[in-house]
C-alpha cells in the first residue's frame, strides 16, 4: 500500500532524458502504487490543450496505461501549466484537483498544493499570477493562433528568468507565516508541495501540535517523489536512467 506524489518535472521536447525518466517511473514505480498525485509543473509550459506536441501524446498514452493498470492519477496546476484543461486531462485519464486539496492517506490528513501561492513575499509574481488567473484574459489568450501563444509564453519565460536573477533567494521561497496559516485553515499537520525546487522535510510547530512540510524536488538531474505508506511519509530521490542513485 503506497501513494506517490511528484511535481516540477518541467517536461519538454528539449529534455528527452527527463521524459524517458518519467515514462520509466510510471512503468516501474507508479504502476505499483494505489494512486499518483502530480502537484504542478508537469510540463515546462502549457499554452492550450490543442497544442498537440508529440511529447503530449506520449505522456497521455503513458498516463492512460497507468489508469488501465488501476492506478488513479490526480493533477494540481502549477505556474507553468495552469492552462491544462479538461480536454487533455480526459485524454490522460487525469482527475483535475483545485489549487489546495486535503487528502486522507492511510489515516493521515495531508494538504497538497503546487506551492507558488505560499511565496507571498514575491509581490511581482503574485501580481502576475492574479493577472494570469483572470478568466477573460485566459479566454483571450486561448483564442489566439498557436504560434502567437508560443511566442508570448517564450517572452514570459525569458522575462521570468531575467527577473529571477535579481530576486533574493528568500523572496522566492515560501513565507513561514503563510505556511502556518494555510495549514491551520485546513486543519492539517502534513503539507506536501513543490514549486521552489528546494527538496526538504521541514518539521514545524503549529498551535495545534507538531507538523511537517515536505517540499518535492524538481526532475532536472534526478527524479524526486514523496512516498506515503501506512508506516511513513518519505522524500525520495532516484536516478532518471534507472541506475542506483
Ligand atoms: O517559472 P519560474 O520558475 O521561472 O519562475 C516562477 C515565476 N514565473 C512565472 C512565469 C512563468 O515562468 C512563465 C509562464 C508561462 C505560462 C504560459 C501560458 C501563458 C498564459 C497566459 C494566460 C493569460 O510563473 C516567477 C517567480 C518564481 O517562480 C519563484 O516563485 O519569482 O515570477 C516571475 O518571474 C514574475 C515576474 O517577476 C513578473 C512578471 C513578468 C511579466 C512578464 C510579462 C511579459 C510578457 C511578454 C509577452 C511577449
Ligand atoms: Mn512552479
Amino acid at each position: 500500500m503506497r501513494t506517490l506524489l511528484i511535481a516540477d518535472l518541467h517536461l519538454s521536447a528539449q529534455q528527452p532524458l527527463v521524459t524517458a525518466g518519467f515514462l520509466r517511473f510510471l512503468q516501474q514505480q507508479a504502476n505499483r502504487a494505489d494512486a499518483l498525485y502530480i502537484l504542478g509543473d508537469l510540463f515546462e509550459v502549457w499554452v492550450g490543450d490543442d497544442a498537440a506536441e508529440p511529447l503530449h501524446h506520449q505522456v497521455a498514452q503513458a498516463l492512460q496505461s497507468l489508469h488501465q493498470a488501476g492506478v488513479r492519477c490526480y493533477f494540481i496546476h502549477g505556474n507553468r501549466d495552469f492552462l491544462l484543461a479538461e480536454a487533455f486531462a480526459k485524454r490522460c485519464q487525469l482527475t483535475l484537483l483545485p489549487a489546495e486539496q486535503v487528502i486522507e492517506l492511510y489515516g493521515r490528513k495531508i494538504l497538497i498544493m503546487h506551492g507558488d501561492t505560499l511565496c507571498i513575499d514575491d509581490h511581482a509574481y503574485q501580481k502576475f499570477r492574479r493577472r494570469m488567473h483572470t478568466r477573460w484574459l485566459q479566454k483571450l489568450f486561448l483564442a489566439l493562433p498557436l504560434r502567437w501563444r508560443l511566442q508570448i509564453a517564450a517572452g514570459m519565460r525569458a522575462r521570468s528568468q531575467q527577473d529571477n536573477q535579481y530576486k533574493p533567494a528568500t523572496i522566492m521561497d515560501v513565507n513561514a507565516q503563510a505556511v502556518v496559516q494555510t495549514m491551520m485553515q485546513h486543519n492539517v499537520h502534513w503539507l506536501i508541495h513543490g514549486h521552489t525546487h528546494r527538496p526538504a522535510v521541514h518539521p514545524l510547530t503549529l498551535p495545534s501540535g507538531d507538523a511537517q512540510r515536505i517540499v518535492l524536488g524538481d526532475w532536472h538531474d534526478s527524479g524526486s517523489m514523496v512516498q506515503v505508506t501506512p508506516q511513513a511519509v518519505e522524500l525520495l530521490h532516484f536516478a532518471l536512467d534507472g541506475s542506483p542513485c
Side-chain angles (χ1 to χ4, degrees), residues 3 33 37 50 54 69 71 75 88 95 97 128-129 140 145 161 170 192 222-223 225 229-231:
T3 292
Y37 289 84
D50 59 332
V71 183
F75 181 81
F88 187 70
T95 302
L97 297 177
F128 172 72
R129 187 181 186 279
L140 188 72
Q161 275 167 325
T170 48
I192 301 175
S222 56
M225 68 172 172
T229 63
Q231 292 75 34

mmCIF file with all atom_site columns, all heavy atoms in Angstrom, residues 3 33 37 50 54 69 71 75 88 95 97 128-129 140 145 161 170 192 222-223 225 229-231:
data_model
loop_
_atom_site.group_PDB
_atom_site.id
_atom_site.type_symbol
_atom_site.label_atom_id
_atom_site.label_alt_id
_atom_site.label_comp_id
_atom_site.label_asym_id
_atom_site.label_entity_id
_atom_site.label_seq_id
_atom_site.pdbx_PDB_ins_code
_atom_site.Cartn_x
_atom_site.Cartn_y
_atom_site.Cartn_z
_atom_site.occupancy
_atom_site.B_iso_or_equiv
_atom_site.pdbx_formal_charge
_atom_site.auth_seq_id
_atom_site.auth_comp_id
_atom_site.auth_asym_id
_atom_site.auth_atom_id
_atom_site.pdbx_PDB_model_num
ATOM 1   N N   . THR A 1 3   ? 1.210   5.483  -1.875  1.00 0.00 ? 3   THR A N   1
ATOM 2   C CA  . THR A 1 3   ? 0.769   6.533  -2.787  1.00 0.00 ? 3   THR A CA  1
ATOM 3   C C   . THR A 1 3   ? 1.967   7.422  -3.078  1.00 0.00 ? 3   THR A C   1
ATOM 4   O O   . THR A 1 3   ? 2.751   7.722  -2.173  1.00 0.00 ? 3   THR A O   1
ATOM 5   C CB  . THR A 1 3   ? -0.387  7.331  -2.142  1.00 0.00 ? 3   THR A CB  1
ATOM 6   O OG1 . THR A 1 3   ? -1.522  6.465  -2.051  1.00 0.00 ? 3   THR A OG1 1
ATOM 7   C CG2 . THR A 1 3   ? -0.762  8.552  -2.968  1.00 0.00 ? 3   THR A CG2 1
ATOM 8   N N   . ALA A 1 33  ? 1.646   1.589  -7.356  1.00 0.00 ? 33  ALA A N   1
ATOM 9   C CA  . ALA A 1 33  ? 1.083   2.451  -6.300  1.00 0.00 ? 33  ALA A CA  1
ATOM 10  C C   . ALA A 1 33  ? -0.447  2.393  -6.307  1.00 0.00 ? 33  ALA A C   1
ATOM 11  O O   . ALA A 1 33  ? -1.062  1.948  -7.270  1.00 0.00 ? 33  ALA A O   1
ATOM 12  C CB  . ALA A 1 33  ? 1.549   3.885  -6.518  1.00 0.00 ? 33  ALA A CB  1
ATOM 13  N N   . TYR A 1 37  ? -0.171  11.436 -7.454  1.00 0.00 ? 37  TYR A N   1
ATOM 14  C CA  . TYR A 1 37  ? -0.570  12.851 -7.430  1.00 0.00 ? 37  TYR A CA  1
ATOM 15  C C   . TYR A 1 37  ? 0.543   13.674 -8.078  1.00 0.00 ? 37  TYR A C   1
ATOM 16  O O   . TYR A 1 37  ? 1.697   13.590 -7.652  1.00 0.00 ? 37  TYR A O   1
ATOM 17  C CB  . TYR A 1 37  ? -0.786  13.330 -5.988  1.00 0.00 ? 37  TYR A CB  1
ATOM 18  C CG  . TYR A 1 37  ? -2.031  12.752 -5.359  1.00 0.00 ? 37  TYR A CG  1
ATOM 19  C CD1 . TYR A 1 37  ? -2.029  11.496 -4.760  1.00 0.00 ? 37  TYR A CD1 1
ATOM 20  C CD2 . TYR A 1 37  ? -3.229  13.462 -5.383  1.00 0.00 ? 37  TYR A CD2 1
ATOM 21  C CE1 . TYR A 1 37  ? -3.180  10.965 -4.185  1.00 0.00 ? 37  TYR A CE1 1
ATOM 22  C CE2 . TYR A 1 37  ? -4.387  12.937 -4.817  1.00 0.00 ? 37  TYR A CE2 1
ATOM 23  C CZ  . TYR A 1 37  ? -4.348  11.691 -4.228  1.00 0.00 ? 37  TYR A CZ  1
ATOM 24  O OH  . TYR A 1 37  ? -5.486  11.161 -3.673  1.00 0.00 ? 37  TYR A OH  1
ATOM 25  N N   . ASP A 1 50  ? -4.852  22.247 -27.244 1.00 0.00 ? 50  ASP A N   1
ATOM 26  C CA  . ASP A 1 50  ? -4.821  21.980 -28.682 1.00 0.00 ? 50  ASP A CA  1
ATOM 27  C C   . ASP A 1 50  ? -3.396  21.981 -29.239 1.00 0.00 ? 50  ASP A C   1
ATOM 28  O O   . ASP A 1 50  ? -3.208  21.768 -30.437 1.00 0.00 ? 50  ASP A O   1
ATOM 29  C CB  . ASP A 1 50  ? -5.655  23.043 -29.421 1.00 0.00 ? 50  ASP A CB  1
ATOM 30  C CG  . ASP A 1 50  ? -5.133  24.450 -29.160 1.00 0.00 ? 50  ASP A CG  1
ATOM 31  O OD1 . ASP A 1 50  ? -4.546  24.664 -28.075 1.00 0.00 ? 50  ASP A OD1 1
ATOM 32  O OD2 . ASP A 1 50  ? -5.302  25.322 -30.020 1.00 0.00 ? 50  ASP A OD2 1
ATOM 33  N N   . PRO A 1 54  ? 4.143   15.960 -30.041 1.00 0.00 ? 54  PRO A N   1
ATOM 34  C CA  . PRO A 1 54  ? 4.330   14.511 -29.854 1.00 0.00 ? 54  PRO A CA  1
ATOM 35  C C   . PRO A 1 54  ? 4.553   14.159 -28.377 1.00 0.00 ? 54  PRO A C   1
ATOM 36  O O   . PRO A 1 54  ? 4.084   13.125 -27.902 1.00 0.00 ? 54  PRO A O   1
ATOM 37  C CB  . PRO A 1 54  ? 5.575   14.196 -30.692 1.00 0.00 ? 54  PRO A CB  1
ATOM 38  C CG  . PRO A 1 54  ? 5.650   15.299 -31.702 1.00 0.00 ? 54  PRO A CG  1
ATOM 39  C CD  . PRO A 1 54  ? 5.024   16.514 -31.078 1.00 0.00 ? 54  PRO A CD  1
ATOM 40  N N   . ALA A 1 69  ? -3.981  0.222  -15.631 1.00 0.00 ? 69  ALA A N   1
ATOM 41  C CA  . ALA A 1 69  ? -3.381  -0.706 -14.658 1.00 0.00 ? 69  ALA A CA  1
ATOM 42  C C   . ALA A 1 69  ? -4.037  -0.547 -13.281 1.00 0.00 ? 69  ALA A C   1
ATOM 43  O O   . ALA A 1 69  ? -3.646  -1.200 -12.319 1.00 0.00 ? 69  ALA A O   1
ATOM 44  C CB  . ALA A 1 69  ? -1.877  -0.454 -14.565 1.00 0.00 ? 69  ALA A CB  1
ATOM 45  N N   . VAL A 1 71  ? -4.299  2.434  -11.492 1.00 0.00 ? 71  VAL A N   1
ATOM 46  C CA  . VAL A 1 71  ? -3.727  3.473  -10.623 1.00 0.00 ? 71  VAL A CA  1
ATOM 47  C C   . VAL A 1 71  ? -4.417  4.806  -10.926 1.00 0.00 ? 71  VAL A C   1
ATOM 48  O O   . VAL A 1 71  ? -4.344  5.315  -12.040 1.00 0.00 ? 71  VAL A O   1
ATOM 49  C CB  . VAL A 1 71  ? -2.201  3.620  -10.854 1.00 0.00 ? 71  VAL A CB  1
ATOM 50  C CG1 . VAL A 1 71  ? -1.606  4.648  -9.897  1.00 0.00 ? 71  VAL A CG1 1
ATOM 51  C CG2 . VAL A 1 71  ? -1.511  2.277  -10.709 1.00 0.00 ? 71  VAL A CG2 1
ATOM 52  N N   . PHE A 1 75  ? -4.127  15.622 -10.641 1.00 0.00 ? 75  PHE A N   1
ATOM 53  C CA  . PHE A 1 75  ? -3.263  16.725 -11.076 1.00 0.00 ? 75  PHE A CA  1
ATOM 54  C C   . PHE A 1 75  ? -3.691  18.059 -10.459 1.00 0.00 ? 75  PHE A C   1
ATOM 55  O O   . PHE A 1 75  ? -4.869  18.414 -10.496 1.00 0.00 ? 75  PHE A O   1
ATOM 56  C CB  . PHE A 1 75  ? -3.317  16.829 -12.610 1.00 0.00 ? 75  PHE A CB  1
ATOM 57  C CG  . PHE A 1 75  ? -2.444  17.911 -13.182 1.00 0.00 ? 75  PHE A CG  1
ATOM 58  C CD1 . PHE A 1 75  ? -1.089  17.703 -13.363 1.00 0.00 ? 75  PHE A CD1 1
ATOM 59  C CD2 . PHE A 1 75  ? -2.978  19.136 -13.548 1.00 0.00 ? 75  PHE A CD2 1
ATOM 60  C CE1 . PHE A 1 75  ? -0.264  18.699 -13.888 1.00 0.00 ? 75  PHE A CE1 1
ATOM 61  C CE2 . PHE A 1 75  ? -2.165  20.140 -14.081 1.00 0.00 ? 75  PHE A CE2 1
ATOM 62  C CZ  . PHE A 1 75  ? -0.819  19.919 -14.246 1.00 0.00 ? 75  PHE A CZ  1
ATOM 63  N N   . PHE A 1 88  ? -7.372  17.744 -22.220 1.00 0.00 ? 88  PHE A N   1
ATOM 64  C CA  . PHE A 1 88  ? -6.139  16.962 -22.108 1.00 0.00 ? 88  PHE A CA  1
ATOM 65  C C   . PHE A 1 88  ? -6.214  16.009 -20.913 1.00 0.00 ? 88  PHE A C   1
ATOM 66  O O   . PHE A 1 88  ? -5.750  14.872 -20.991 1.00 0.00 ? 88  PHE A O   1
ATOM 67  C CB  . PHE A 1 88  ? -4.916  17.875 -22.004 1.00 0.00 ? 88  PHE A CB  1
ATOM 68  C CG  . PHE A 1 88  ? -3.617  17.119 -22.044 1.00 0.00 ? 88  PHE A CG  1
ATOM 69  C CD1 . PHE A 1 88  ? -3.192  16.515 -23.228 1.00 0.00 ? 88  PHE A CD1 1
ATOM 70  C CD2 . PHE A 1 88  ? -2.839  16.969 -20.907 1.00 0.00 ? 88  PHE A CD2 1
ATOM 71  C CE1 . PHE A 1 88  ? -2.004  15.784 -23.266 1.00 0.00 ? 88  PHE A CE1 1
ATOM 72  C CE2 . PHE A 1 88  ? -1.654  16.238 -20.936 1.00 0.00 ? 88  PHE A CE2 1
ATOM 73  C CZ  . PHE A 1 88  ? -1.230  15.652 -22.109 1.00 0.00 ? 88  PHE A CZ  1
ATOM 74  N N   . THR A 1 95  ? -7.477  13.233 -13.077 1.00 0.00 ? 95  THR A N   1
ATOM 75  C CA  . THR A 1 95  ? -8.510  13.999 -12.375 1.00 0.00 ? 95  THR A CA  1
ATOM 76  C C   . THR A 1 95  ? -7.904  15.329 -11.947 1.00 0.00 ? 95  THR A C   1
ATOM 77  O O   . THR A 1 95  ? -6.886  15.347 -11.245 1.00 0.00 ? 95  THR A O   1
ATOM 78  C CB  . THR A 1 95  ? -9.003  13.222 -11.132 1.00 0.00 ? 95  THR A CB  1
ATOM 79  O OG1 . THR A 1 95  ? -9.503  11.960 -11.574 1.00 0.00 ? 95  THR A OG1 1
ATOM 80  C CG2 . THR A 1 95  ? -10.088 13.979 -10.390 1.00 0.00 ? 95  THR A CG2 1
ATOM 81  N N   . LEU A 1 97  ? -7.595  18.608 -9.792  1.00 0.00 ? 97  LEU A N   1
ATOM 82  C CA  . LEU A 1 97  ? -7.956  18.998 -8.418  1.00 0.00 ? 97  LEU A CA  1
ATOM 83  C C   . LEU A 1 97  ? -7.826  20.513 -8.265  1.00 0.00 ? 97  LEU A C   1
ATOM 84  O O   . LEU A 1 97  ? -7.095  21.153 -9.025  1.00 0.00 ? 97  LEU A O   1
ATOM 85  C CB  . LEU A 1 97  ? -7.013  18.313 -7.418  1.00 0.00 ? 97  LEU A CB  1
ATOM 86  C CG  . LEU A 1 97  ? -7.054  16.785 -7.361  1.00 0.00 ? 97  LEU A CG  1
ATOM 87  C CD1 . LEU A 1 97  ? -5.994  16.274 -6.370  1.00 0.00 ? 97  LEU A CD1 1
ATOM 88  C CD2 . LEU A 1 97  ? -8.432  16.286 -6.948  1.00 0.00 ? 97  LEU A CD2 1
ATOM 89  N N   . PHE A 1 128 ? 1.493   39.084 -10.965 1.00 0.00 ? 128 PHE A N   1
ATOM 90  C CA  . PHE A 1 128 ? 1.498   38.405 -12.267 1.00 0.00 ? 128 PHE A CA  1
ATOM 91  C C   . PHE A 1 128 ? 0.525   37.222 -12.246 1.00 0.00 ? 128 PHE A C   1
ATOM 92  O O   . PHE A 1 128 ? -0.280  37.039 -13.158 1.00 0.00 ? 128 PHE A O   1
ATOM 93  C CB  . PHE A 1 128 ? 2.933   37.937 -12.557 1.00 0.00 ? 128 PHE A CB  1
ATOM 94  C CG  . PHE A 1 128 ? 3.084   37.058 -13.766 1.00 0.00 ? 128 PHE A CG  1
ATOM 95  C CD1 . PHE A 1 128 ? 2.963   37.582 -15.049 1.00 0.00 ? 128 PHE A CD1 1
ATOM 96  C CD2 . PHE A 1 128 ? 3.366   35.702 -13.626 1.00 0.00 ? 128 PHE A CD2 1
ATOM 97  C CE1 . PHE A 1 128 ? 3.124   36.775 -16.170 1.00 0.00 ? 128 PHE A CE1 1
ATOM 98  C CE2 . PHE A 1 128 ? 3.522   34.888 -14.737 1.00 0.00 ? 128 PHE A CE2 1
ATOM 99  C CZ  . PHE A 1 128 ? 3.403   35.421 -16.019 1.00 0.00 ? 128 PHE A CZ  1
ATOM 100 N N   . ARG A 1 129 ? 0.576   36.443 -11.146 1.00 0.00 ? 129 ARG A N   1
ATOM 101 C CA  . ARG A 1 129 ? -0.288  35.269 -11.032 1.00 0.00 ? 129 ARG A CA  1
ATOM 102 C C   . ARG A 1 129 ? -1.767  35.651 -11.067 1.00 0.00 ? 129 ARG A C   1
ATOM 103 O O   . ARG A 1 129 ? -2.576  35.012 -11.738 1.00 0.00 ? 129 ARG A O   1
ATOM 104 C CB  . ARG A 1 129 ? 0.029   34.498 -9.741  1.00 0.00 ? 129 ARG A CB  1
ATOM 105 C CG  . ARG A 1 129 ? -0.709  33.170 -9.637  1.00 0.00 ? 129 ARG A CG  1
ATOM 106 C CD  . ARG A 1 129 ? -0.401  32.450 -8.337  1.00 0.00 ? 129 ARG A CD  1
ATOM 107 N NE  . ARG A 1 129 ? -1.011  31.121 -8.357  1.00 0.00 ? 129 ARG A NE  1
ATOM 108 C CZ  . ARG A 1 129 ? -2.279  30.873 -8.089  1.00 0.00 ? 129 ARG A CZ  1
ATOM 109 N NH1 . ARG A 1 129 ? -3.102  31.880 -7.780  1.00 0.00 ? 129 ARG A NH1 1
ATOM 110 N NH2 . ARG A 1 129 ? -2.750  29.639 -8.145  1.00 0.00 ? 129 ARG A NH2 1
ATOM 111 N N   . LEU A 1 140 ? -9.054  34.970 -23.892 1.00 0.00 ? 140 LEU A N   1
ATOM 112 C CA  . LEU A 1 140 ? -8.485  35.752 -24.990 1.00 0.00 ? 140 LEU A CA  1
ATOM 113 C C   . LEU A 1 140 ? -7.203  35.080 -25.487 1.00 0.00 ? 140 LEU A C   1
ATOM 114 O O   . LEU A 1 140 ? -7.006  34.898 -26.694 1.00 0.00 ? 140 LEU A O   1
ATOM 115 C CB  . LEU A 1 140 ? -8.190  37.166 -24.471 1.00 0.00 ? 140 LEU A CB  1
ATOM 116 C CG  . LEU A 1 140 ? -7.769  38.210 -25.485 1.00 0.00 ? 140 LEU A CG  1
ATOM 117 C CD1 . LEU A 1 140 ? -8.964  38.596 -26.347 1.00 0.00 ? 140 LEU A CD1 1
ATOM 118 C CD2 . LEU A 1 140 ? -7.252  39.458 -24.764 1.00 0.00 ? 140 LEU A CD2 1
ATOM 119 N N   . PRO A 1 145 ? -3.907  32.467 -32.271 1.00 0.00 ? 145 PRO A N   1
ATOM 120 C CA  . PRO A 1 145 ? -3.265  31.371 -33.007 1.00 0.00 ? 145 PRO A CA  1
ATOM 121 C C   . PRO A 1 145 ? -2.139  30.752 -32.173 1.00 0.00 ? 145 PRO A C   1
ATOM 122 O O   . PRO A 1 145 ? -1.464  31.479 -31.425 1.00 0.00 ? 145 PRO A O   1
ATOM 123 C CB  . PRO A 1 145 ? -2.695  32.059 -34.253 1.00 0.00 ? 145 PRO A CB  1
ATOM 124 C CG  . PRO A 1 145 ? -3.408  33.357 -34.364 1.00 0.00 ? 145 PRO A CG  1
ATOM 125 C CD  . PRO A 1 145 ? -3.830  33.747 -32.979 1.00 0.00 ? 145 PRO A CD  1
ATOM 126 N N   . GLN A 1 161 ? 12.930  34.555 -16.235 1.00 0.00 ? 161 GLN A N   1
ATOM 127 C CA  . GLN A 1 161 ? 14.318  34.167 -15.961 1.00 0.00 ? 161 GLN A CA  1
ATOM 128 C C   . GLN A 1 161 ? 15.170  35.392 -15.650 1.00 0.00 ? 161 GLN A C   1
ATOM 129 O O   . GLN A 1 161 ? 16.005  35.374 -14.744 1.00 0.00 ? 161 GLN A O   1
ATOM 130 C CB  . GLN A 1 161 ? 14.895  33.415 -17.169 1.00 0.00 ? 161 GLN A CB  1
ATOM 131 C CG  . GLN A 1 161 ? 14.544  31.940 -17.131 1.00 0.00 ? 161 GLN A CG  1
ATOM 132 C CD  . GLN A 1 161 ? 14.838  31.247 -18.454 1.00 0.00 ? 161 GLN A CD  1
ATOM 133 O OE1 . GLN A 1 161 ? 14.695  31.831 -19.529 1.00 0.00 ? 161 GLN A OE1 1
ATOM 134 N NE2 . GLN A 1 161 ? 15.235  29.999 -18.377 1.00 0.00 ? 161 GLN A NE2 1
ATOM 135 N N   . THR A 1 170 ? 15.426  34.313 -0.640  1.00 0.00 ? 170 THR A N   1
ATOM 136 C CA  . THR A 1 170 ? 14.388  34.245 0.397   1.00 0.00 ? 170 THR A CA  1
ATOM 137 C C   . THR A 1 170 ? 13.030  34.702 -0.148  1.00 0.00 ? 170 THR A C   1
ATOM 138 O O   . THR A 1 170 ? 11.995  34.185 0.252   1.00 0.00 ? 170 THR A O   1
ATOM 139 C CB  . THR A 1 170 ? 14.749  35.137 1.604   1.00 0.00 ? 170 THR A CB  1
ATOM 140 O OG1 . THR A 1 170 ? 15.149  36.408 1.099   1.00 0.00 ? 170 THR A OG1 1
ATOM 141 C CG2 . THR A 1 170 ? 15.841  34.528 2.441   1.00 0.00 ? 170 THR A CG2 1
ATOM 142 N N   . ILE A 1 192 ? 2.386   18.867 1.661   1.00 0.00 ? 192 ILE A N   1
ATOM 143 C CA  . ILE A 1 192 ? 3.342   18.474 0.615   1.00 0.00 ? 192 ILE A CA  1
ATOM 144 C C   . ILE A 1 192 ? 3.151   19.422 -0.559  1.00 0.00 ? 192 ILE A C   1
ATOM 145 O O   . ILE A 1 192 ? 2.029   19.619 -1.025  1.00 0.00 ? 192 ILE A O   1
ATOM 146 C CB  . ILE A 1 192 ? 3.127   17.002 0.171   1.00 0.00 ? 192 ILE A CB  1
ATOM 147 C CG1 . ILE A 1 192 ? 3.282   16.052 1.362   1.00 0.00 ? 192 ILE A CG1 1
ATOM 148 C CG2 . ILE A 1 192 ? 4.127   16.632 -0.934  1.00 0.00 ? 192 ILE A CG2 1
ATOM 149 C CD1 . ILE A 1 192 ? 2.975   14.590 1.057   1.00 0.00 ? 192 ILE A CD1 1
ATOM 150 N N   . SER A 1 222 ? 17.735  14.495 -11.269 1.00 0.00 ? 222 SER A N   1
ATOM 151 C CA  . SER A 1 222 ? 17.276  13.179 -10.798 1.00 0.00 ? 222 SER A CA  1
ATOM 152 C C   . SER A 1 222 ? 15.788  13.272 -10.503 1.00 0.00 ? 222 SER A C   1
ATOM 153 O O   . SER A 1 222 ? 15.238  14.371 -10.445 1.00 0.00 ? 222 SER A O   1
ATOM 154 C CB  . SER A 1 222 ? 18.046  12.772 -9.529  1.00 0.00 ? 222 SER A CB  1
ATOM 155 O OG  . SER A 1 222 ? 17.909  13.763 -8.547  1.00 0.00 ? 222 SER A OG  1
ATOM 156 N N   . GLY A 1 223 ? 15.165  12.131 -10.318 1.00 0.00 ? 223 GLY A N   1
ATOM 157 C CA  . GLY A 1 223 ? 13.733  12.121 -10.005 1.00 0.00 ? 223 GLY A CA  1
ATOM 158 C C   . GLY A 1 223 ? 13.532  12.401 -8.523  1.00 0.00 ? 223 GLY A C   1
ATOM 159 O O   . GLY A 1 223 ? 14.420  12.135 -7.697  1.00 0.00 ? 223 GLY A O   1
ATOM 160 N N   . MET A 1 225 ? 10.359  12.203 -5.438  1.00 0.00 ? 225 MET A N   1
ATOM 161 C CA  . MET A 1 225 ? 8.959   11.859 -5.124  1.00 0.00 ? 225 MET A CA  1
ATOM 162 C C   . MET A 1 225 ? 8.780   11.760 -3.621  1.00 0.00 ? 225 MET A C   1
ATOM 163 O O   . MET A 1 225 ? 9.740   11.579 -2.868  1.00 0.00 ? 225 MET A O   1
ATOM 164 C CB  . MET A 1 225 ? 8.560   10.535 -5.776  1.00 0.00 ? 225 MET A CB  1
ATOM 165 C CG  . MET A 1 225 ? 9.263   9.329  -5.203  1.00 0.00 ? 225 MET A CG  1
ATOM 166 S SD  . MET A 1 225 ? 8.568   7.798  -5.846  1.00 0.00 ? 225 MET A SD  1
ATOM 167 C CE  . MET A 1 225 ? 9.715   6.586  -5.208  1.00 0.00 ? 225 MET A CE  1
ATOM 168 N N   . THR A 1 229 ? 3.114   5.670  2.844   1.00 0.00 ? 229 THR A N   1
ATOM 169 C CA  . THR A 1 229 ? 2.644   4.318  3.153   1.00 0.00 ? 229 THR A CA  1
ATOM 170 C C   . THR A 1 229 ? 1.929   4.386  4.507   1.00 0.00 ? 229 THR A C   1
ATOM 171 O O   . THR A 1 229 ? 1.998   5.421  5.177   1.00 0.00 ? 229 THR A O   1
ATOM 172 C CB  . THR A 1 229 ? 3.829   3.317  3.252   1.00 0.00 ? 229 THR A CB  1
ATOM 173 O OG1 . THR A 1 229 ? 4.663   3.735  4.341   1.00 0.00 ? 229 THR A OG1 1
ATOM 174 C CG2 . THR A 1 229 ? 4.624   3.239  1.968   1.00 0.00 ? 229 THR A CG2 1
ATOM 175 N N   . PRO A 1 230 ? 1.304   3.309  4.951   1.00 0.00 ? 230 PRO A N   1
ATOM 176 C CA  . PRO A 1 230 ? 0.681   3.363  6.282   1.00 0.00 ? 230 PRO A CA  1
ATOM 177 C C   . PRO A 1 230 ? 1.721   3.636  7.375   1.00 0.00 ? 230 PRO A C   1
ATOM 178 O O   . PRO A 1 230 ? 1.408   4.181  8.421   1.00 0.00 ? 230 PRO A O   1
ATOM 179 C CB  . PRO A 1 230 ? 0.066   1.974  6.444   1.00 0.00 ? 230 PRO A CB  1
ATOM 180 C CG  . PRO A 1 230 ? -0.151  1.490  5.046   1.00 0.00 ? 230 PRO A CG  1
ATOM 181 C CD  . PRO A 1 230 ? 0.954   2.075  4.226   1.00 0.00 ? 230 PRO A CD  1
ATOM 182 N N   . GLN A 1 231 ? 3.004   3.305  7.094   1.00 0.00 ? 231 GLN A N   1
ATOM 183 C CA  . GLN A 1 231 ? 4.036   3.453  8.125   1.00 0.00 ? 231 GLN A CA  1
ATOM 184 C C   . GLN A 1 231 ? 4.745   4.805  8.101   1.00 0.00 ? 231 GLN A C   1
ATOM 185 O O   . GLN A 1 231 ? 5.173   5.305  9.130   1.00 0.00 ? 231 GLN A O   1
ATOM 186 C CB  . GLN A 1 231 ? 5.138   2.373  7.955   1.00 0.00 ? 231 GLN A CB  1
ATOM 187 C CG  . GLN A 1 231 ? 4.716   0.961  8.237   1.00 0.00 ? 231 GLN A CG  1
ATOM 188 C CD  . GLN A 1 231 ? 3.867   0.357  7.120   1.00 0.00 ? 231 GLN A CD  1
ATOM 189 O OE1 . GLN A 1 231 ? 4.074   0.658  5.940   1.00 0.00 ? 231 GLN A OE1 1
ATOM 190 N NE2 . GLN A 1 231 ? 2.893   -0.460 7.477   1.00 0.00 ? 231 GLN A NE2 1
#
